[in-house]
Amino acid sequence: MHAQSVRAISECHTLATFTEEPAHITRRFLTPPVHAVHTHLRQRMEALGMTVQTDAAGNLRGIHQPANAPAKRFLIGSHIDTVPDAGPFDGILGVTLALELVEIVQERQLPLSIEVIAFSEEEGVRYGIPFLGSRAVAGTFDEKLLAYEDADGIPMSEAIRSFGLDPTQIPSAAIEPQQTLGFLEIHIEQGPILEAEDLQLAAVTSIVGQTRGTLTFTGHANHAGTTPMHLRHDALAAAAEWITAVETHANSTPSLVATVGKIFADPNATNVIPGTVHTTLDLRHPSDPIRTVAVEALIAQAQSIAQRRGLTAQFTQTMNEPAIPMDLALTANLTAALESTGLPARILTSGAGHDAMILAARIPTTMLFLRSPGGISHHPAESVREQDVEAALHVAANFLERIFATINNT
Ligand code: GLV
Ligand code: MN
Ligand code: MN
């Protein structure tokens, strides 16, 4: 499968050229370069004889349905949006590999119906809400989200219409769980563990829970030269104190990761004391109760820092996704596939969020991770090794044969 793995990688590099910012890879939900990604992937799907459509949430979906195959489909895919200044593999590699798998299944004449889904949105960059594409596919898209506005004041419903789609049709994007065999997402690990253990691949057993939200500190803007230090209500100084408290809290809680990744100060001028600061919180832990307690503690800490400084602090939650296990039977098929390909049956928990989190709540779901060189992701230096991509194809093809054998035995 050397040629297919080389092509899966080169397709990622080609798709990386479809970007909002010429020198970087940045592709937010339904922005213009997504049209180019769809056109490119659609051509490849059609060349494979697949039936292709774009659903109302902007997910590109290709169906391979052999005449002699049962109608129930196995889903494979990942997302095509990116974080700002991203690497070329997060998400998209799971789509290019899915298309290689369709070709392999065709060559092996395996009578298995497969739907490849290129999810439109997973990162949450444009609207602050992640998993827009997979929520629509899972049938859990909340139509209130359509009123959310991006940084330019464009409501989500408008972004969907401008892409040529009808947001009122989003409910029809939902899968029928009874007509679905399961979902496989192939993704880079985005962390250092496999590399440290000199391993190529792992099956994922669960995905950690995540809370995201915005923390706003409101003080008073005033003159930077005339306001004595003891009479200030500096929102940025309060935010700075809280940000280091977040880091300290995460450092002292095993397995907790907490990140303040965004900060916006108003009025953002050198000679004005900052009056308002918006920061974000991204907090993750394998245990939901520990995550909930940590979020509550950090909000309380923000409020006490704000109160001591004569400010207010307000938290608005934008995401609260529970930790979710992958399907036991599917994951057992994946570890068996690893072993029959001569690889150790390594299992991992995912610290990153994935579309698989959302689908796992509706249908049997599992994930296959590939080693991330240097453990680097969400960064232009993100990479993969060709031999790992080839191994992933061998394992996933073996996994699909097992899925086919299972449905034939039932
Ligand atoms: C998705 O990339 C995440 O932030 O986990
Ligand atoms: Mn990502
Ligand atoms: Mn991803």
Side-chain angles (χ1 to χ4, degrees):
M1 293 176 195
H2 177 69
Q4 277 125 335
S5 59
V6 168
R7 181 170 51 192
I9 294 169
S10 91
E11 285 286 274
C12 290
H13 288 299
T14 301
L15 291 160
T17 64
F18 305 137
T19 170
E20 294 178 64
E21 304 179 284
H24 307 286
I25 307 169
T26 300
R27 203 167 44 242
R28 295 166 305 148
F29 177 59
L30 300 189
T31 49
V34 178
H35 281 292
V37 171
H38 276 202
T39 303
H40 188 90
L41 291 174
R42 178 182 279 273
Q43 277 166 2
R44 180 82 202 290
M45 287 173 170
E46 283 173 352
L48 286 165
M50 302 172 84
T51 310
V52 190
Q53 57 131 343
T54 303
D55 70 27
N59 300 305
L60 185 74
R61 302 167 70 156
I63 295 170
H64 162 67
Q65 180 104 49
N68 55 345
K72 276 192 176 188
R73 286 179 208 146
F74 195 84
L75 313 183
I76 314 176
S78 192
H79 60 100
I80 56 171
D81 68 319
T82 75
V83 292
D85 200 11
F89 298 106
D90 175 2
I92 201 96
L93 180 67
V95 178
T96 64
L97 281 176
L99 292 172
E100 297 305 333
L101 283 167
V102 169
E103 189 180 273
I104 291 163
V105 159
Q106 289 176 348
E107 281 167 5
R108 295 186 182 181
Q109 299 185 336
L110 199 62
L112 185 63
S113 302
I114 294 178
E115 177 168 351
V116 173
I117 309 184
F119 292 102
S120 57
E121 210 282 347
E122 186 265 0
E123 303 282 7
V125 177
R126 185 166 179 188
Y127 287 97
I129 307 287
F131 309 122
L132 299 176
S134 42
R135 285 181 211 263
V137 170
T140 52
F141 185 97
D142 181 348
E143 65 174 25
K144 286 196 216 72
L145 297 178
L146 291 171
Y148 279 48
E149 293 183 353
D150 69 6
D152 298 320
I154 301 171
M156 193 187 295
S157 54
E158 184 55 37
I160 293 173
R161 278 201 192 88
S162 311
F163 200 80
L165 301 168
D166 178 357
T168 65
Q169 294 305 308
I170 286 181
S172 64
I175 46 165
E176 201 51 72
Q178 297 78 2
Q179 291 308 312
T180 311
L181 293 166
F183 173 60
L184 169 69
E185 180 167 7
I186 308 175
H187 203 285
I188 51 172
E189 178 200 344
Q190 307 183 278
I193 297 172
L194 289 177
E195 181 167 78
E197 295 180 7
D198 200 17
L199 293 177
Q200 296 184 283
L201 304 173
V204 176
T205 47
S206 64
I207 302 179
V208 301
Q210 276 192 53
T211 302
R212 292 191 198 175
T214 310
L215 208 294
T216 300
F217 291 91
T218 310
H220 296 298
N222 209 339
H223 198 291
T226 60
T227 317
M229 294 308 288
H230 71 286
L231 294 178
R232 295 177 177 216
H233 304 284
D234 183 331
L236 190 50
E241 188 179 337
W242 180 68
I243 292 166
T244 53
V246 169
E247 190 190 32
T248 305
H249 192 93
N251 275 330
S252 62
T253 313
S255 301
L256 184 71
V257 287
T259 307
V260 178
K262 251 172 110 174
I263 185 157
F264 174 79
D266 184 64
N268 209 24
T270 309
N271 58 349
V272 185
I273 298 162
T276 308
V277 166
H278 302 283
T279 57
T280 55
L281 177 66
D282 175 315
L283 187 146
R284 311 181 189 201
H285 197 278
S287 150
D288 290 331
I290 294 176
R291 176 171 56 93
T292 306
V293 166
V295 172
E296 282 165 5
L298 289 174
I299 296 170
Q301 203 155 4
Q303 280 159 348
S304 105
I305 291 167
Q307 198 175 23
R308 175 164 40 77
R309 291 168 169 271
L311 292 84
T312 59
Q314 171 90 29
F315 183 68
T316 309
Q317 186 172 278
T318 52
M319 172 177 175
N320 178 14
E321 270 319 312
I324 190 141
M326 297 293 97
D327 180 73
L328 275 179
L330 281 189
T331 308
N333 274 315
L334 205 48
T335 51
L338 282 165
E339 280 176 331
S340 53
T341 316
L343 296 171
R346 179 68 164 101
I347 51 170
L348 274 183
T349 293
S350 173
H354 295 288
D355 295 303
M357 261 178 123
I358 303 301
L359 290 212
R362 297 303 309 280
I363 56 171
T365 293
T366 195
M367 287 192 78
L368 178 64
F369 270 179
L370 287 78
R371 160 167 58 187
S372 281
I376 295 170
S377 186
H378 281 187
H379 187 278
E382 183 181 270
S383 63
V384 286
R385 293 199 194 161
E386 188 278 321
Q387 70 267 34
D388 297 350
V389 176
E390 195 172 338
L393 277 176
H394 279 285
V395 169
N398 184 289
F399 168 83
L400 290 177
E401 285 188 346
R402 289 168 189 277
I403 298 300
F404 175 65
T406 317
I407 49 173
N408 268 8
N409 288 337
T410 49

